[in-house]
Every structure is written in C-alpha cells, then in structure tokens.
Amino acid sequence: MSLLEVDDLRVHLFTDRGVVKAVDGVQFSVEAGRSLGIVGESGCGKTMTALSLMRLIPEPPARIVSGSIRFDGEDVVTMSPDRLRALRGNQIAMIYQDPMTSLNPVFTVGEQIAEAVRLHRRDTRSAAWTRAVEVLHLVGIPDPDRVARAYPHQLSGGMRQRAVIGMALACEPKLLIADEPTTALDVTIQAQILELLRRLQGELGTGIVLITHDLGVIADLVDDVIVMYAGKLVERAPVRQLFAAPRHPYTSGLLRSVPSLDIRERRLATIDGTVPPAHAMPNGCRFNPRCTLARDICHEQEPPLVDVGNGTMAACWAPL
C-alpha cells in the first residue's frame, strides 16, 4: 500500500467573484522511500495541493469539496482536529518556501525545534534540546550548539533553510512535503540542500513530495513527476520518461523553455500567453488558448487523463 494516496482531489475557493477551482481532480500516490515532483507555472495549484495534504488550506474561503487524501490508510479529509494536530509535524512535515517567515524571530532556532519535539514526543526540555542540536548536526550545520542558541536573523539564508529542514525532520516524519525548498538560494547552497534531502531520504526512508517550477531540481531528486496546469493534472510519468519523451504539449513547452548552454541557441524558447485567471477558465482543455496543436475538440471538451504508454498518463486529445 502506498504511503500517500490522493484521489480526485478538488479544492474550491468561494469568493465574491464566484467559485474558483484551485485544484480540480488531482490524483497521485507516493510510496515510502520514494519522491514525487509537482511542477507547473505559478498559479497552477501546486502549493494549494501541498497545503491540502495537511489540511492547511485557509478555510474559508477554501474548502475540499470532494476526493480523498489517504495517509497510511487514514483519510486526512475526514480526520478530527485532534488527530490532525498529532499528524502535522510528526508523521507529515512541511518545508515552506521562505525560511525567514517559517521561523519565529523572537525565539532561538533550538527553542523552535525543541518545541516540536516536546509537543509530539513528550520529551523533557533537556531531551528535546539535545534532539534539536542533533538534527542541526544531521542537516550539516557546523557548530550546531552555537547555531541552536542563535536567532534566525543571525543566520544566512542557507543556514536558515537547513534549520527549517531540521525542524521538519526532528520527529522523523514518514512524509516530507517540500514547497520550493531551494528558492532564493545560490546554486552551491541549492546543490547542498538537494544532496541533504537525498541523503536523509535514504537514511530515514522518508517519502518526499517536492513542489517546484525548477525542472533541474526535478531531474536531480525525484522518481516520478506530475505536471499541473490551471489546477488540473495534465501529465504524470517517471522522471526519466518525462524528460526523454514528454507527451503533453504543456510539458514539452516547459522543457523547451529551460535555458541551454549551447551558444548557438540565441533565443530562449517560451510558451506564448499566460495561465488563465482562476475565475475565467476556457472551455475544453484549459491549455488550448496557448497550444499550437489545439483542434476543434480541444475547445469543446475537456480531455481525460489516460494511459499513453511507457508508464505515462496524459490529458490531451492529441498526445505527442
């Protein structure tokens, strides 16, 4: 049985301008010790999907209107508030985009990690502090005793990100959700963070859901990928297959838009247009206004997600 199974997840926002279908029928699974990448442009529903996994969406205006999120056999959608509190940060942990906003500026880094340990493990203050220093060492922070007594503003961006990862891993969760974990980090620190996640996954057997728009990060870390566009899942494939032979025009466009080191490539490829506003989705396939392969049926009917071979699922009337 998979560690995480998401089936037909639909998250709507009820606003003054009408109902916004932020996540519309997404489905995927993650096994223990494996990693799943979620990619797509900004506004495609990646973060809303990630927040839904822990029931952290803002209610109201957001609400999970249908679908199931089964973690270790339990449905997160129907969990009681007490069970959710026991789950968050303990069995499922999340790394947020900005480490500075994830850390409280008036408490030391060690105090914040130790708080999570005391809450979920019921450890003494001394034992929780020892564990906080241990996880700072685990994530590769030099002199963890000193860093544990430091405040967030006294650390560099890379050190803060490592501390946030350490906080997420303090209780050895079964599932780690990483939402843009390398945003705003230089390439050297980014490589170190990715290597850290890979090493910890191997040591702890943690399942990872990685949300990013950086296809280089996806290629380097994950086993399987889902591509989202305008709240819909448009392609799902093993990572090697996705890069070797993308089957959806949107996925192909994302791959072409990655900058090349070939000096003969003088012009950066782009996808014309932008993601449609969430309150005004086009009829049929949501990608049809930007797709060069769109046909009449693409403007009339929404394509189903179907098996197109080699372990790939795609939602397109004319898969590549």
Side-chain angles (χ1 to χ4, degrees), residues 107-114 128-137 141-152 154-155 159 163:
F107 292 99
T108 66
V109 170
E111 287 173 329
Q112 295 181 64
I113 298 175
W129 182 266
T130 300
R131 176 58 180 166
V133 175
E134 286 178 356
V135 298
L136 290 176
H137 175 72
I141 289 181
D143 196 0
D145 291 283
R146 178 188 63 81
V147 172
R149 291 175 170 79
Y151 290 89
Q154 296 175 302
L155 306 180
M159 293 278 274

Side-chain angles (χ1 to χ4, degrees), residues 292-305:
T292 57
L293 303 177
R295 303 180 299 180
D296 289 343
I297 192 174
C298 301
H299 298 275
E300 299 166 358
Q301 299 180 35
E302 191 173 284
L305 187 71

